[in-house]
Amino acid sequence: MSQTKIDRRDFLTSSIAVAGTSAILASDSQAADSQEKAEARSAETGTAYTGETIQGKKVISRLNADDLEPGRKHFLYFRGVQMPGGQPWYVSVVVAKGVRPGKRFTLTSGVHGDEMSSIHTVQTVIDRLDPTQMSGTVMAVLDIARPALESMQRRWPNSGRGVDLIDMNREWPGDENGASATSRHAGLLFNRLLKPNTDLAIDFHTGTTGLEVAAFVIGDRNLPDVKTMSDLYPVGLMWDDPAYPGVLHNAFVDVGIPCFTPEVGAARVLDKDMIALFVEGTLNVLKHYGVIGGPIGRTAADANMLIGDGAFPIIATHGGLVEFQAKLDGDVKAGQTIAVQRNMFGEVVAEYTTAVDGRLAAYRTDASSDPGNVLAFVLFRRPGSPPHAGAHPDSEKSYPE
Ligand SMILES: [Zn+2]
């Protein structure tokens, strides 16, 4: 009996409900007393400190930002899923809590582990905030896919069947009892940190290793707050798109939290010029919603933002070295040659053209390619067509976030 009680307490504090634990709970539910139920309710809404301190940062397993002292920044570790060795992955969280009530913004980065400029953008925004002058809250969650970050790679190495590489940005909103550690980590973060503390969210990304992108934002302009936020970024491109299932910004939108994704240039590097644009845009957003004061800086209007509702993918048909003949972020015309590909003799084996007029929004920087890889995307506007008709690419490889 006492063993059962320990099981239940563990369940209540960690809610890692494996099937066996659930069965024990179901058979023993009559015995649960009202005090335990009250404790459970409190544990589900209040900030839960695990009692650990790591490198001076307190560890939480749940956050209610209402519990935090106003007028300062709080630096915390959120306890995520366990590694195979049994220790948890800890995710870095900064909460800038204003002295007055207001909108609660969440800025996320590191859902892909090779996207450094996204992290630096969020760090820089947080650094610019003075909570003693703020209304509302800005929460930064910086290194979401910890194991992917540790090895500077897009995907989460998972020990499922040998080494799986799991794209965490196909797992949201996750499942605390899911079939992979990645899904469970997403579920813990989404249920206990992100969703309960957020009115509006921005999930920062960059291109991926081997595929560089122009400065752009992805979001669904049918959502008024997404349109408002996107138009406050001084960048030249927007892909107006309802996004891909399993993507974090979609998961936010699905629970009624407006969210979109900025793309801050190339993976693996800190692109200071790009970062500056996205910091300026994010500060504009916080000013617009009254979280901070100050004049609005440059916006999408200043950058003459092209709003595309389609992304035309150029897919390699051959193996070989790919040489681009069009510039990233440059305008291209239907029929224009974007790249040529040569085999190892130097013979041209393929010539790739765009079928649409638009802007070259992403291109492959790894010079060699297998057949089937995405070599480039041309972002384009479909004149006269409904905003999203046929615009959505239907393969994971074709989504450039
Ligand atoms: Zn990404």
Side-chain angles (χ1 to χ4, degrees):
M1 188 61 202
S2 65
Q3 185 57 48
T4 306
K5 276 189 157 329
I6 289 166
D7 283 346
R8 186 195 295 114
R9 193 165 301 113
D10 185 57
F11 173 76
L12 292 174
T13 54
S14 74
S15 282
I16 306 294
V18 297
T21 313
S22 300
I24 290 167
L25 279 172
S27 67
D28 196 43
S29 61
Q30 300 292 333
D33 60 50
S34 59
Q35 186 172 343
E36 275 192 331
K37 284 181 180 167
E39 285 171 3
R41 275 196 298 277
S42 169
E44 283 165 11
T45 57
T47 298
Y49 291 93
T50 67
E52 300 156 279
T53 301
I54 298 175
Q55 294 174 330
K57 312 292 193 293
K58 287 182 178 171
V59 177
I60 55 171
S61 59
R62 179 185 300 279
L63 179 69
N64 183 338
D66 292 344
D67 299 337
L68 299 179
E69 184 190 340
R72 54 173 284 230
K73 294 176 188 173
H74 301 264
F75 299 83
L76 303 162
Y77 274 125
F78 178 86
R79 188 180 69 190
V81 76
Q82 288 181 6
M83 311 173 210
Q87 291 184 357
W89 289 110
Y90 296 103
V91 173
S92 309
V93 180
V94 185
V95 183
K97 175 95 178 270
V99 288
R100 291 174 296 276
K103 291 288 187 190
R104 301 171 307 159
F105 273 86
T106 291
L107 313 177
T108 50
S109 59
V111 170
H112 291 132
D114 58 350
E115 303 185 358
M116 300 296 115
S117 288
S118 64
I119 298 170
H120 199 276
T121 300
V122 177
Q123 288 173 340
T124 307
V125 170
I126 290 292
D127 190 52
R128 300 276 178 87
L129 300 178
D130 177 359
T132 66
Q133 305 296 317
M134 278 173 50
S135 303
T137 302
V138 180
M139 177 169 72
V141 187
L142 292 141
D143 47 0
I144 286 182
R146 277 291 314 283
L149 263 145
E150 297 302 335
S151 48
M152 183 72 96
Q153 64 183 344
R154 177 181 176 87
R155 297 185 180 93
W156 176 302
N158 182 61
S159 62
R161 298 172 179 85
V163 177
D164 291 334
L165 291 173
I166 296 177
D167 187 336
M168 194 177 187
N169 217 21
R170 302 295 178 269
E171 297 287 336
W172 300 96
D175 179 348
E176 293 186 19
N177 309 310
S180 71
T182 321
S183 173
R184 291 180 180 221
H185 189 70
L188 290 168
L189 283 160
F190 198 76
N191 298 335
R192 294 154 182 262
L193 182 69
L194 301 175
K195 184 175 139 191
N197 294 294
T198 306
D199 297 319
L200 296 142
I202 307 172
D203 181 33
F204 291 84
H205 283 254
T206 74
T208 194
T209 298
L211 187 81
E212 188 169 349
V213 298
F216 75 111
V217 293
I218 306 175
D220 183 353
R221 294 180 66 84
N222 287 324
L223 304 170
D225 284 307
V226 169
K227 179 176 182 300
T228 297
M229 290 191 283
S230 302
D231 287 348
L232 287 164
Y233 279 78
V235 300
L237 276 176
M238 175 164 190
W239 186 12
D240 179 13
D241 187 273
Y244 200 89
V247 169
L248 176 55
H249 82 248
N250 232 33
F252 273 122
V253 168
D254 284 347
V255 295
I257 298 168
C259 185
F260 70 105
T261 287
E263 297 280 349
V264 192
R268 303 184 82 84
V269 298
L270 294 182
D271 188 328
K272 293 294 180 70
D273 292 339
M274 287 262 194
I275 290 167
L277 294 177
F278 287 94
V279 167
E280 185 171 354
T282 307
L283 293 174
N284 284 343
V285 169
L286 296 177
K287 290 169 186 168
H288 176 85
Y289 284 89
V291 176
I292 61 174
I296 300 284
R298 295 169 299 170
T299 67
D302 298 301
N304 195 25
M305 181 191 271
L306 168 71
I307 296 163
D309 60 1
F312 178 79
I314 294 172
I315 312 282
T317 55
H318 290 65
L321 302 186
V322 178
E323 186 177 347
F324 281 88
Q325 298 190 347
K327 281 200 163 62
L328 185 64
D329 210 14
D331 291 327
V332 295
K333 291 280 179 198
Q336 181 178 335
T337 298
I338 303 298
V340 295
Q341 190 173 27
R342 293 183 172 84
N343 64 15
M344 292 303 152
F345 298 98
E347 298 163 330
V348 173
V349 291
E351 179 176 342
Y352 300 101
T353 58
T354 171
V356 296
D357 292 353
R359 185 89 51 87
L360 192 65
Y363 72 0
R364 186 176 170 85
T365 50
D366 280 358
S368 67
S369 178
D370 308 280
N373 281 338
V374 169
L375 298 179
F377 283 98
V378 177
L379 203 63
F380 67 100
R381 184 89 201 155
R382 295 163 185 264
S385 70
H388 305 303
H392 199 272
D394 59 5
S395 82
E396 177 188 326
K397 267 190 157 175
S398 296
Y399 200 66
E401 104 298 350

